[in-house]
Amino acid sequence: MFYCHHVFVSFFLYRYLRLAVNLLGFCMHRPIPIPENPRLTSQNVTVVIPSLQGDGGELWDTIRSILATEPSEIILVTVGAQEQHAKKVLKELNLSKVRIYSVSQPNKRRQMVRAIPEIQTDITIFADDDVTWPSTLLPWMLAPLEDERYGGVGTNQRLRRAQCPNLQQRVWGYLGALYLERRNFDCASCMFVDGGLPCLSGRTVAYRTSILRDPEFTYEFTHEEWLGQYQLNADDDNFITRWLISHGQKISYQHHKQAEVLTTLEDNPKFLKQCLRWSRSNWRSNITSMFCDRHIWRHQPWSTYAVYLTTVSHWAFVWDTLLIYFFLDMAKPWQSDTRDIGLAMLVGWMFLSKFVKLLGHYIRYPGDFFLLPVSIGFGYLHGLIKGYAMLSLNVTAWGSREGADDDDAYRMRRVSQKHHEALAFRGATVCCTQ
C-alpha cells in the first residue's frame, strides 16, 4: 500500500502539475503591447508565401487579406510552370505589390531560400497560402521586434469553419479546431512561465531578415540532418525555432484577438494523415531539442517538461489506465464507499482535465460541447497515431494535399559518405540534426 501510494501520487503530480501551472500561465499571459510610437511599421515587412499553386480562390483570398495590412510587398514562390500562370492572374488582378518566383520542385525550404535574397525589408513574415489575416495583425507582430533581443514572433491561430458543414465535416472540423485551441493554450502558457513554446508555427511567423540572410543559417537550413543518415528538408518551422533558441534569440507569442490568424485543416479522414505528419515532425524536432541541441533544458526548463517531454511520456490511455490501477491498489484497505467516492473523484478530475483548457472553444461554440466524447475518444486514438509516427520517422509524406508529395524523396534522403566528409571539413558535428 505504501509503495502504491507513492507511485500514484508521483504519477498524478507528474501528469497534472503541468495542467495546473499552464492554466495559471494561460490566464496570466499578456501579449507585448503595441508601442505608442513604433519604430517598425508595415512598410518594414515583406511577406513570403510558399505555395504549390499559382492560382485558386483560396490563394488569392489569402493575398488580399495580407495586402489589407499594407506590407511593403508580398513574394509568392510557387513551383515550375505555375509561375507563368500566377503572373498571368496577377496581371489581371493588377496587384502591384506582389512579386512571383518559382522553384523547379515542390519543397517549402527551397521556396523560402529562393525568396530570402529578394527581401529588402528588416522583417520577413512567412505565411501559408490558406490563411486569412485580420487587418490589425502587423502592429501586434512587430511589437516584440522593437526589442532587438527578439528574433521571431508567432501568433494565435483558429480554424476557419466550414459554411453549412455536413456531419462528417462538422466532426473533423471540430477535432481540427481543438488541435489549434490546444496549441494556442500551450504556447501562451509556456510563453508566460519561461518564454518558451513548442514551435513558431509556419502558418504565419515573423523573423528578422538579418537572421535569415546569415550564410551559416542558410547552409544549416539547407543541410539539416536526421540521425546522421538522412538529409531532412521538412519541418522548416521547427528548425528555425531551434536555431533562434540555440543562438540566444528571444521568441515571442502574441495571443490576442487582433492578432488571430484563420487557417484551414482537413475536414475529412485526411485529417488523420495531417495528425500523423505533425506527430512525426514533433518526434524528430523534440528529440533533437532535448537530446542533441539541449539548449532548452537551461533556457526553457518548464517548456521542456510541459511540452517537449510529452512527446516521449504522454500517452493518454496508458496514463489513465495506470492512474486508475494504482489508485485501486492503494485504496484496497479503504471502505468500499470511500473507495468508490475516491474513484469517482479521480475519474471526474480526468474528465475535467480533458475539457478545461479547451473552455475557450466551447464558450465560442457551445453547440460543440455535445461532441466532447468524440474529443476524448480521439485523444486515446491519437496514442496509436503517435506510436505509428514514432516507428516511421523517416517518412515525410503529406498524404493530404494534391501535389505536396511529388518530390517527397527529396524531403528525407540518405546522405552519402562524400557529404559527411564535406560536413566534417566545415567542422560540423552531426548528432540528430545540424
Side-chain angles (χ1 to χ4, degrees):
M1 175 184 171
F2 183 78
Y3 167 77
C4 288
H5 171 80
H6 279 72
V7 172
F8 171 77
V9 171
S10 298
F11 272 53
F12 186 90
L13 289 177
Y14 179 81
R15 181 164 191 188
Y16 293 116
L17 176 64
R18 173 176 63 248
L19 175 63
V21 175
N22 277 357
L23 280 171
L24 178 63
F26 182 78
C27 294
M28 297 293 290
H29 172 75
R30 298 293 182 272
I32 295 176
I34 302 171
E36 292 185 7
N37 299 299
R39 177 177 55 86
L40 297 172
T41 70
S42 62
Q43 293 306 298
N44 297 107
V45 174
T46 296
V47 182
V48 176
I49 307 175
S51 176
L52 295 173
Q53 309 300 323
D55 194 8
E58 190 172 64
L59 170 62
W60 295 107
D61 286 346
T62 293
I63 290 175
R64 289 189 187 95
S65 77
I66 293 174
L67 285 172
T69 66
E70 301 183 344
S72 176
E73 68 173 342
I74 296 174
I75 297 178
L76 173 65
V77 186
T78 186
V79 180
Q82 293 289 348
E83 178 182 5
Q84 296 306 316
H85 187 54
K87 286 181 177 179
K88 181 181 177 181
V89 177
L90 181 63
K91 186 176 180 180
E92 294 173 358
L93 295 176
N94 193 28
L95 300 177
S96 59
K97 280 191 172 184
V98 181
R99 283 193 286 161
I100 300 176
Y101 299 95
S102 71
V103 295
S104 59
Q105 295 172 302
N107 182 265
K108 191 174 181 180
R109 291 203 194 198
R110 285 179 175 176
Q111 292 169 281
M112 294 165 72
V113 170
R114 173 65 185 89
I116 290 170
E118 311 297 335
I119 298 169
Q120 301 172 9
T121 57
D122 293 335
I123 306 300
T124 298
I125 296 182
F126 291 108
D128 281 355
D129 61 1
D130 60 349
V131 298
T132 301
W133 284 15
S135 60
T136 52
L137 177 67
L138 286 186
W140 285 100
M141 293 199 76
L142 293 174
L145 296 170
E146 295 283 335
D147 186 337
E148 294 292 337
R149 294 175 299 172
Y150 284 88
V153 180
T155 184
N156 61 310
Q157 305 158 4
R158 303 235 184 263
L159 183 72
R160 186 164 62 234
R161 291 166 72 97
Q163 299 295 321
C164 302
N166 58 37
L167 179 60
Q168 175 181 254
Q169 290 175 316
R170 175 78 183 275
V171 172
W172 290 112
Y174 163 75
L175 294 175
L178 292 193
Y179 164 78
L180 295 175
E181 190 76 22
R182 193 175 293 109
R183 190 183 187 285
N184 291 337
F185 176 88
D186 289 340
C187 288
S189 56
C190 289
M191 182 58 55
F192 174 80
V193 176
D194 66 1
L197 47 71
C199 174
L200 287 169
S201 169
R203 291 186 182 94
T204 293
V205 60
Y207 302 111
R208 293 194 186 278
T209 306
S210 58
I211 295 173
L212 305 176
R213 283 181 176 162
D214 182 349
E216 184 183 0
F217 168 84
T218 302
Y219 181 85
E220 300 293 346
F221 187 59
T222 54
H223 293 80
E224 182 180 4
E225 288 194 15
W226 168 248
L227 295 178
Q229 301 179 47
Y230 301 94
Q231 182 174 334
L232 180 62
N233 290 298
D235 312 341
D236 52 275
D237 46 7
N238 284 304
F239 175 90
I240 301 179
T241 303
R242 294 196 309 270
W243 178 272
L244 294 176
I245 295 171
S246 65
H247 286 73
Q249 296 283 333
K250 296 184 70 173
I251 56 180
S252 181
Y253 175 76
Q254 294 290 76
H255 190 271
H256 193 280
K257 180 65 178 176
Q258 293 184 348
E260 185 175 280
V261 173
L262 299 181
T263 187
T264 60
L265 298 174
E266 295 291 345
D267 56 3
N268 53 62
K270 288 184 179 180
F271 178 71
L272 296 175
K273 294 184 178 180
Q274 284 187 316
C275 290
L276 182 59
R277 177 169 59 87
W278 295 331
S279 187
R280 286 173 177 144
S281 181
N282 286 339
W283 274 108
R284 287 190 294 258
S285 185
N286 291 354
I287 287 173
T288 298
S289 295
M290 289 188 291
F291 305 118
C292 297
D293 292 352
R294 298 189 295 276
H295 299 282
I296 58 170
W297 296 95
R298 180 161 47 97
H299 297 293
Q300 300 173 1
W302 176 258
S303 297
T304 302
Y305 157 68
V307 176
Y308 293 94
L309 278 173
T310 59
T311 300
V312 179
S313 63
H314 184 65
W315 305 80
F317 181 79
V318 175
W319 274 99
D320 287 358
T321 301
L322 287 175
L323 280 171
I324 291 174
Y325 170 79
F326 284 120
F327 173 83
L328 291 175
D329 205 30
M330 176 186 70
K332 281 180 180 179
W334 300 4
Q335 294 184 358
S336 60
D337 290 348
T338 304
R339 184 171 59 249
D340 291 344
I341 292 172
L343 180 61
M345 292 177 64
L346 175 61
V347 173
W349 173 262
M350 289 177 172
F351 175 81
L352 180 65
S353 71
K354 299 177 189 303
F355 161 75
V356 65
K357 68 180 183 180
L358 305 173
L359 186 60
H361 175 85
Y362 295 112
I363 291 174
R364 289 189 300 276
Y365 306 105
D368 282 359
F369 183 79
F370 297 101
L371 293 172
L372 181 58
V374 176
S375 170
I376 295 174
F378 185 77
Y380 292 133
L381 171 65
H382 193 269
L384 298 177
I385 296 174
K386 181 176 172 181
Y388 180 69
M390 178 184 65
L391 300 174
S392 56
L393 294 180
N394 63 326
V395 178
T396 57
W398 281 52
S400 60
R401 188 169 184 179
E402 184 179 353
D405 295 327
D406 288 352
D407 196 33
D408 181 53
Y410 177 77
R411 288 200 291 259
M412 178 80 82
R413 60 180 182 178
R414 285 192 176 274
V415 294
S416 64
Q417 182 62 32
K418 184 177 181 180
H419 180 75
H420 279 299
E421 291 172 356
L423 288 177
F425 180 76
R426 286 176 58 89
T429 299
V430 178
C431 182
C432 291
T433 184
Q434 290 296 325

